[in-house]
Structures are given as structure tokens and as C-alpha cells.
Amino acid sequence: MNTSIEIPIRDEGDTATIYAGDYLNKLSGEKIERECRKRIEGGCKTLVVNFRETEIVNSIGVSILLGVIDAASQSDTSVIFSEVSKDTSQLFEMLGLTKHVVLQ
Amino acid sequence: MQEQQQQKLIHTFSALADIGQEVAHKNNFQEMIQTSLHLLLGSLAIMRGGVARYSKFGHELNFLAVRGLGDDFPLSASLEMSDEREFLNTGMSDIELSQAKMLAFFQRYQKVLDRKRIEMIMPLIVRDQLVGIVFLGEKATGEPFTKEDKAVIQAMARHIGVGIHQRNLMAELNRRAEENRQLYEGMRMTYKDTVRAFATAIDCKDKYTEGHSVRVGRYSEIIAEELEWKEEEIEGVAVAGYLHDVGKLTVEKTIINAPYRINAKESKELNKHPGVGYEILLPIQHPYADVPLAAKYHHERLDGRGYPDGLKDNEIPYIAKIVSLADSFDAMTTDRPYKRRRPFNEVIEDMHRNAGTQFAPELVRAFCSGILKEVTGENKSRRFRRLLGPEYMEAEGLEMSLKDALNGMNATKPLTLIASG
């Protein structure tokens, strides 16, 4: 399901960078979560979620990201959210996501 | 700070709006629940949670969606009657785990709920019925749930509860519709069996025409099939055929079984049977209309020389015309006490000759066409063969007689369907 959605991912050693796209919703979010879990299970030590093109993160997006954080916490994988816009970064901070990830 | 508050409100309200949309418009129930759980967890950044549906009949909670609870989380849990009562007493408000230790349910599942760090549960109650429970873990901030958080959770859980309730109603509706369908089917079968039993009872009275009513029912059915009537209309005609002679139950057995051509007085007595049959059938609420009319008028003729009322052509109910043809066909093709059955070719010629005077031509055409299909092998059902015997069907020149009859007849009027009531 949702195989038509392409999620850009860059793997470099034990670091994987996943690009969240312009709108993190259920369709793209579940794909991102699957890809992240795959990397975590594959021994990835640092997971970078890049929000360069992301304009909106809705509640579904937050739930997806919590799933990523949860999976990472069980495997000692650190999660970095990079290039987060000011609004999204405020949202993450307010909701407590920044307690579990590093913002870059 | 105010700007942050505003942003949080927008985030929460959009989640609330989305969950409303989700419940109202999603056709896929499972997907609706999964998305709703995402929205609930994401609105307040709750680390984990699950939505379970409660089955009142099985006293069981079944998880429809879980997030962050791990593979070892039990996906179903039994609920005692007392648990259900306690949840109903609590109403649709949050129960924090720390306050819930008194509930029997928590005492049974405390270990797993503690291990999974479930902090709050919210019973889903719709119209005074427990339809499910939402289980929630801690917030990403690590802070306790505020009063406002709980209000948001309650509002969203209400939507989820309504979604589950709607689903339950649909399932119940489908179950009842299926139950009704089966009940109707059962009644229909009972009705058919009763009608057949009646036909057999009628035929028992006349030892020389044993099986006559059943055969007339079958022939009538075949004619209706050839006319491509609807299934329920075909059934209606068959019933009319089975019951057309029900009035004979009141005629003296000595007259019915007379091994000679009966006299005028006896004939008068016998000829009362259509009217008597009508009187017997009229008070019965048949699923098909016109069954009593078939009994009353199956001895009428198109030229008005029939009985009991000497009706002509269009005055005769269509169903009676069908039964009349089937009745005459059976009379000609079975042995009677005073005469042997006639060769098949002769019967066809007789029907052909009397089309327009005794029988409706389009019905003779439909009947002959049905016989021809079986003779040529186009129809493999062997329905006539079973009713008439294989040797009778192998009469020399039968195919030609049938083709001649069909070529010599044109439907004189459009087919009229009987009403089914």
C-alpha cells in the first residue's frame, strides 16, 4: 500500500537521513515510519528526519514521529530533526517532542 | 507565550475537526479507527495508546488499533459484568490509572498496564452503552494531563465512540436483515411445501389422475419460464397450478373416480369445483395474487364456451389461461379411466388447432417452444421427459409437429404479466 509515494532517503554509514516532504500526513507519514523502523532494525545509530520542505505537520504527523521516537528509544538510536521551520519547531517544543530528539 | 498557546489551540482544533470528518465520512472502519488514534495521540503528543471495541455478547475488549504498545500487548481482554457496570457508572470521563486500582478490571490487568505505562483510560459510552475503551500512555512532555487535555481527549474519544457505535448498529442491522431473509426463505419453503402437500392431497382423491395437480403446477411453471417471467411470478403461477383443483376436495369421490363418462347431473356437480376452489383459496393471504382466480377460471375458454361464467378472451385472468392450457395438456397426455392418452403429435396439433378459441395462442406458442427446446436438446433439463416419460417424448415426427405449430401461430397480443401481491 502507498508504494507510489517515494520517500527520499540517504544512507551514510550508520546514519540515515529521511526527507519528510512538504506535508507530513498519514499517507506519507506511515511510509516514513516504516522506512525509519527498517533503518533502526538494520542497526542505524543516528536517524535524521529532515523537514527542509515541510510546511505543515498535523496531529497524524506528530503521532507518526512519536512512533519513530519510540522505536528509536528501544534500540539506542538517536533521532535528529533537522531544518525544522520556526513554527514546526515551536509545535514540537510545546508538545514535548524536543525532549526526545535533537533539533538541528 | 500567547503565540505558542494559539498555535497549540490550532493544532488541537484541527485534530478535532479531522477526527469528526474521519468518523463521519470514512467507509473503512478499521482505517477510521487507526487514523482516529493517530489524531488523538498526535493532538497532545501522547506516546502510546490503543482503541478497543467492547463486545457485549462476548464480554470482551478487542483492540482495533494500537500505537507504541509493543507486540506483547494482549489484543483482547475479557470484561466481567461488574467491570461493565463500573465503567458505565464512571461515565465518559477519564480514569487515571493511579485512581483506578479499585476497579476489578485493573486488578486483573494491572501488571500489563503498568508495564506498558498506560496512564489513563477513557470508557467510550454511547447511549448508555459501553462500546469501547481508549487506553493512553504518558505525554511526550512527561507532564501530567491537564484539565484541558482531558477535555480534548474526552471530545475526541466521543467521536471514536460514535464511530464504533455506528459500526455496531450497521452490523446489527445486517445481522437482522440476514435473519429476516432466512426467516422469509424458511416461510417461503414452508408455503411451497404446504402447497405441494395440498396438491398431493387433491390428487389422492382421484386415483386415475394421480399427480395431476403437481404436473399442472410444473407445466404452468414451464410456460411462465418460457415467457421469461420473474422468479416470484413463476412461483406464483406454479402455486396456481398446484391448487387449481382444490375445489374437487368437496366433490363426491364416486363422481371423480367414475370409470365411465359421467352423466349430466354428475357433470353439473363436478363443474362446481372451480367456484368451490375459489371460495377455499380466497381467504388465504397468498404471497402471489390471482391464485384464487386461476382456480375459478381454469375451465374458461377464449371463445366464451367454458365455465363457470362463460368469460371471453380478455375477461379471463391471464393466470387462468396458463393453468387452463397446462390442465388440458395434462388431461390429453395422461391415461383416463375411459380413454388412453393421446399421441404427442396429436396433442400438439390439438393445441395448435384450438389456439385462439380455447387457448391463448401466445401461450401455446411458448409451451410448444419449451417442448421443442427439449426435443432438439437446446434445453437439457429433461423437465418434460420426467413428467411424460422418455418413450412418449420420442414420438416420430414430434419435432416437425412442433415446428409446424410454431410457424402457424403468431402471438395475437402482447404478453400480460400477472401482478404479484
Side-chain angles (χ1 to χ4, degrees), chain B residues 140-153:
Chain B
T141 56
E143 294 162 359
F145 288 103
T146 63
K147 202 173 142 196
E148 289 75 26
D149 291 341
K150 288 174 185 175
V152 169
I153 293 168

Side-chain angles (χ1 to χ4, degrees), chain B residues 269-386:
Chain B
E269 186 63 28
L270 182 64
N271 290 357
K272 285 179 185 169
H273 81 269
V276 174
Y278 176 75
E279 295 300 327
I280 292 172
L281 294 173
L282 193 62
I284 300 171
Q285 291 286 314
H286 298 275
Y288 322 103
D290 298 351
V291 170
L293 291 176
K296 187 170 185 179
Y297 296 119
H298 72 273
H299 282 296
E300 297 289 358
R301 297 166 49 104
L302 259 59
D303 56 12
R305 289 171 52 223
Y307 67 95
D309 295 341
L311 300 181
K312 281 186 176 173
D313 200 357
N314 284 339
E315 295 167 340
I316 307 168
Y318 206 70
I319 193 167
K321 290 179 184 174
I322 294 176
V323 174
S324 167
L325 177 60
D327 186 36
S328 299
F329 178 79
D330 188 62
M332 290 188 278
T333 54
T334 47
D335 291 334
R336 296 285 160 128
Y338 44 86
K339 64 176 178 187
R340 300 275 302 160
R341 70 174 172 181
R342 294 165 62 185
F344 209 162
N345 290 331
E346 268 186 50
V347 173
I348 301 300
E349 282 160 21
D350 189 289
M351 287 197 302
H352 180 196
R353 197 171 46 251
N354 289 305
T357 53
Q358 185 178 354
F359 310 119
E362 71 272 21
L363 298 183
V364 176
R365 169 182 278 276
F367 201 33
C368 288
S369 163
I371 301 167
L372 183 63
K373 280 180 197 163
E374 194 168 315
V375 169
T376 58
E378 187 187 332
N379 186 319
K380 311 253 185 254
S381 67
R382 303 170 64 86
R383 47 196 186 172
F384 283 102
R385 215 163 284 263
R386 266 189 227 110

Side-chain angles (χ1 to χ4, degrees), chain A residues 33 59 63 87 94 99-100, chain B residues 4 7 15 38 42 67 140-141:
Chain A
E33 188 177 355
S59 292
S63 173
D87 282 352
M94 214 163 40
K99 286 188 185 267
H100 306 269
Chain B
Q4 269 198 353
Q7 200 182 5
H38 270 308
R67 294 276 303 159
T141 56

Side-chain angles (χ1 to χ4, degrees), chain B residues 106-164:
Chain B
F106 288 100
Q107 285 163 15
R108 283 203 309 284
Y109 292 99
Q110 188 177 352
K111 269 188 186 167
V112 65
L113 295 173
D114 281 347
R115 194 172 70 240
K116 293 298 172 186
R117 288 179 286 164
I118 296 297
E119 293 208 345
M120 182 202 284
I121 70 159
M122 174 79 70
L124 304 175
I125 296 167
V126 182
R127 292 180 188 264
D128 298 326
Q129 284 177 39
L130 179 71
V131 297
I133 297 179
V134 169
F135 293 75
L136 298 171
E138 81 278 15
K139 289 203 296 182
T141 56
E143 294 162 359
F145 288 103
T146 63
K147 202 173 142 196
E148 289 75 26
D149 291 341
K150 288 174 185 175
V152 169
I153 293 168
Q154 195 178 41
M156 296 184 89
R158 221 177 269 284
H159 280 290
I160 298 174
V162 168
I164 294 175

Side-chain angles (χ1 to χ4, degrees), chain A residues 35-85:
Chain A
E35 293 299 333
C36 287
R37 283 180 185 275
K38 227 187 275 178
R39 299 306 185 280
I40 292 164
E41 282 162 17
C44 166
K45 289 289 162 204
T46 309
L47 197 64
V48 181
V49 185
N50 187 293
F51 291 90
R52 190 171 58 202
E53 291 176 12
T54 312
E55 287 179 17
I56 299 171
V57 179
N58 68 2
S59 292
I60 295 176
V62 171
S63 173
I64 299 281
L65 294 171
L66 289 173
V68 174
I69 291 168
D70 183 57
S73 70
Q74 288 168 32
S75 306
D76 287 329
T77 305
S78 54
V79 183
I80 296 169
F81 287 175
S82 69
E83 298 191 61
V84 187
S85 72

Side-chain angles (χ1 to χ4, degrees), chain B residues 250-287:
Chain B
T250 62
V251 178
E252 285 290 331
K253 216 168 176 177
T254 49
I255 298 176
I256 293 173
N257 287 322
Y260 52 82
R261 200 173 284 278
I262 52 174
N263 62 34
K265 192 182 166 200
E266 289 166 329
S267 184
K268 194 178 169 191
E269 186 63 28
L270 182 64
N271 290 357
K272 285 179 185 169
H273 81 269
V276 174
Y278 176 75
E279 295 300 327
I280 292 172
L281 294 173
L282 193 62
I284 300 171
Q285 291 286 314
H286 298 275

